[in-house]
Amino acid sequence: DYLFYVNNLSAVLLRAGRAQEALQVMRNASQEMKDTKNFHNKIGFVAFYVKCLIANQLYKNAENYCTTFLKAYEKEVMHYRWHTFFSAYLESLLVQKKFAAMLEVMRKHKLADREAEYRRRADYLPTISWYDAVARYQEGQLPKSDLRTLLQTDLERLRQDDNRRAQLDDLLRTLKPVVPEVVNYLPVWKT
């Protein structure tokens, strides 16, 4: 349970704009993460740790951490919390504008197929599908109009849920620096 509470505390600190403090909380708990046999908590911890690194602009560190962890625990990641892990991993690449690398990760781990099935979950957020679409757009594989339509359709479908509205807003804030020409013109969301 300790890692669960650490993750929640770091999430609260991040939302409060206290990124350095959130990162320190995570670093202080890193030994506990290494010692736990509970991969659900371990992978959740890694994802939040990566988010803390990103919030502190330690983008390359975040990417390297994901790469190393995935090499060591790919089977466990794919079994327990692939969506949580890859959402953080792809974000670490997105903020560095490594779009080709994002597409390679998507292809290698067959994330589009997994995402299509995951979409049926009640708590689904389109994080990975949006990251994929942005990467394809940036690599010239998806027209801007198609990207805008995808985002708008998902927003209209999901924004009715108050619990997901804040998460969608966070996701759009992450995308805005990368594709402002799309995010700024979404009718249901204004910064």
Side-chain angles (χ1 to χ4, degrees):
D1 286 346
Y2 176 70
L3 292 179
F4 174 79
Y5 293 116
V6 167
N7 289 346
N8 284 339
L9 175 58
S10 71
V12 168
L13 292 169
L14 286 177
R15 271 188 245 113
R18 296 163 59 185
Q20 289 179 342
E21 192 176 343
L23 181 58
Q24 191 57 51
V25 166
M26 298 301 283
R27 285 182 171 156
N28 290 344
S30 65
Q31 189 59 49
E32 181 76 21
M33 182 276 293
K34 291 174 185 173
D35 293 342
T36 188
K37 304 290 187 234
N38 182 326
F39 276 97
H40 186 272
N41 288 342
K42 185 182 292 255
I43 295 164
F45 178 91
V46 168
F48 273 102
Y49 182 67
V50 167
K51 290 207 169 275
C52 289
L53 290 170
I54 292 168
N56 282 281
Q57 300 178 357
L58 299 169
Y59 308 131
K60 188 65 179 166
N61 295 32
E63 176 189 355
N64 290 341
Y65 198 83
C66 287
T67 302
T68 302
F69 188 83
L70 188 59
K71 282 181 185 172
Y73 300 108
E74 181 175 0
K75 180 181 171 187
E76 291 83 357
V77 166
M78 301 312 278
H79 179 72
Y80 290 98
R81 298 189 79 182
W82 69 271
H83 199 272
T84 300
F85 177 83
F86 282 106
S87 292
Y89 189 8
L90 291 171
E91 183 180 349
S92 76
L93 297 170
L94 177 82
V95 295
Q96 296 179 83
K97 300 184 178 179
K98 292 185 173 185
F99 306 115
M102 291 173 70
L103 294 175
E104 177 58 23
V105 167
M106 291 285 300
R107 184 202 59 74
K108 180 178 180 182
H109 299 285
K110 298 177 175 74
L111 297 184
D113 294 339
R114 287 179 166 274
E115 183 79 353
E117 186 171 318
Y118 197 76
R119 188 177 276 271
R120 297 183 204 137
R121 291 177 49 124
D123 62 344
Y124 173 75
L125 278 175
T127 308
I128 290 176
S129 65
W130 284 12
Y131 287 168
D132 175 57
V134 167
R136 287 186 296 123
Y137 165 71
Q138 293 290 4
E139 290 293 305
Q141 300 173 13
L142 184 72
K144 179 170 39 172
S145 61
D146 289 358
L147 176 59
R148 187 178 296 150
T149 299
L150 171 74
L151 298 179
Q152 184 63 39
T153 301
D154 282 345
L155 281 171
E156 288 170 358
R157 183 172 51 82
L158 297 171
R159 283 185 65 97
Q160 305 310 313
D161 181 342
D162 288 339
N163 295 327
R164 285 191 274 187
R165 186 171 294 133
Q167 293 171 309
L168 287 167
D169 287 348
D170 288 345
L171 183 52
L172 284 166
R173 273 190 281 284
T174 299
L175 295 179
K176 185 177 178 180
V178 180
V179 286
E181 69 278 13
V182 175
V183 174
N184 285 338
Y185 295 98
L186 292 171
V188 298
W189 189 75
K190 300 291 181 199
T191 57

